[in-house]
Amino acid sequence: MTTRGFTGRRPSPETTDRIPPGQSLTEDFPVLSAGPTPRVRTEDWSFTLKEGPKPLIKWNWDEFNKLPQTKFTRDIHCVTAWSKLDTAWQGVLIDDIFAEAGLEPPTEFMLAHSFDGYATNVPVRDLTGGKAMIATFYSGKPLEAEHGGPARLLVPHLYFWKSAKWINGLQFTTRDEPGFWELRGYHIYGDPWREQRYTGD
Ligand SMILES: Nc1nc2c(c(=O)[nH]1)N[C@H]1C(S)=C(S)[C@@H](COP(=O)(O)O)O[C@H]1N2
Ligand SMILES: [Mo]
């Protein structure tokens, strides 16, 4: 049997390779938030790097947007079982944030913090090496509030709950401290290729 002339919506073998176990492709972009969408005005926005309780450096919106910009096209995978291919983002790499701050990571773990009180933990090595950014544009347009605008963390190789929307800072922690969903049964790390959905997976 041949599938050469097949013109339906079945994913190509190449696409199938990009969908982690238990996931299905979606064309639209679902919105998932634990609470109501905070409306953060850019004049009220700031981003603070902290080591434990100690602030290291803080940028306002205008200062932050002068940092080097990077474009980034990646597949994203939500723990509610949808995956979306080739999503296009623009923002500031975490590498460039650390470089601008003139720091070497003092610990191995971070917590991302957001304006809605949300938090999520990510190892530093998953944020560096070009793997993650603070995104301010999606698909060529300023990031919409529902998807975390004005700025969200984007860590596309982990389940999407790690990509904190409405981010206002990153905090170095000495231990891998669970965030909002990790305290409520989600996996501490969240690798979609190993199906690390829930604690103990
Ligand atoms: N601040 C904040 N970030 C968040 C959330 C949230 O409730 N608050 N939800 C997370 C979850 S569970 C998912 S799946 C993604 C959803 O992002 P989206 O709404 O852009 O699809 O955002 C993550 N980031
Ligand atoms: Mo989610």
Side-chain angles (χ1 to χ4, degrees):
M1 190 196 121
T2 175
T3 56
R4 184 175 288 235
F6 185 74
T7 54
R9 298 182 55 80
R10 194 192 312 178
S12 67
E14 182 193 311
T15 299
T16 310
D17 285 351
R18 290 164 63 183
I19 307 170
Q23 298 288 110
S24 301
L25 270 190
T26 183
E27 294 297 326
D28 46 48
F29 195 169
V31 171
L32 288 121
S33 310
T37 294
R39 304 285 158 173
V40 184
R41 300 183 312 165
T42 52
E43 54 267 46
D44 299 327
W45 187 90
S46 66
F47 182 88
T48 307
L49 264 186
K50 288 186 184 176
E51 182 177 351
K54 187 178 69 175
L56 300 172
I57 185 168
K58 181 174 177 172
W59 290 274
N60 67 25
W61 180 253
D62 290 336
E63 293 161 348
F64 191 81
N65 281 285
K66 289 185 183 120
L67 302 184
Q69 293 282 312
T70 298
K71 286 182 181 170
F72 201 103
T73 297
R74 295 289 186 279
D75 304 341
I76 54 177
H77 312 287
C78 176
V79 74
T80 59
W82 56 265
S83 291
K84 188 170 172 61
L85 303 183
D86 296 320
T87 61
W89 305 85
Q90 184 183 315
V92 182
L93 289 178
I94 308 302
D95 300 301
D96 288 325
I97 290 174
F98 292 173
E100 290 289 329
L103 63 81
E104 286 295 322
T107 69
E108 284 178 40
F109 301 102
M110 298 203 93
L111 272 172
H113 295 281
S114 298
F115 283 94
D116 61 340
Y118 187 84
T120 188
N121 58 305
V122 186
V124 173
R125 67 173 179 279
D126 289 275
L127 297 174
T128 52
K131 291 200 283 293
M133 67 160 51
I134 304 297
T136 53
F137 287 85
Y138 172 71
S139 219
K141 296 193 215 78
L143 184 59
E144 290 174 20
E146 285 74 16
H147 288 299
R152 79 181 297 164
L153 179 62
L154 184 69
V155 196
H157 68 286
L158 299 179
Y159 279 124
F160 209 36
W161 86 77
K162 296 288 183 181
S163 294
K165 306 198 276 189
W166 317 294
I167 194 163
N168 63 16
L170 281 170
Q171 177 185 28
F172 291 104
T173 58
T174 46
R175 276 167 290 110
D176 196 9
E177 289 183 31
F180 180 86
W181 281 120
E182 296 83 6
L183 285 167
R184 290 164 177 78
Y186 281 20
H187 196 275
I188 193 76
Y189 182 61
D191 179 350
W193 294 98
R194 289 188 276 166
E195 264 205 281
Q196 295 174 336
R197 298 176 191 272
Y198 308 109
T199 309
D201 281 351

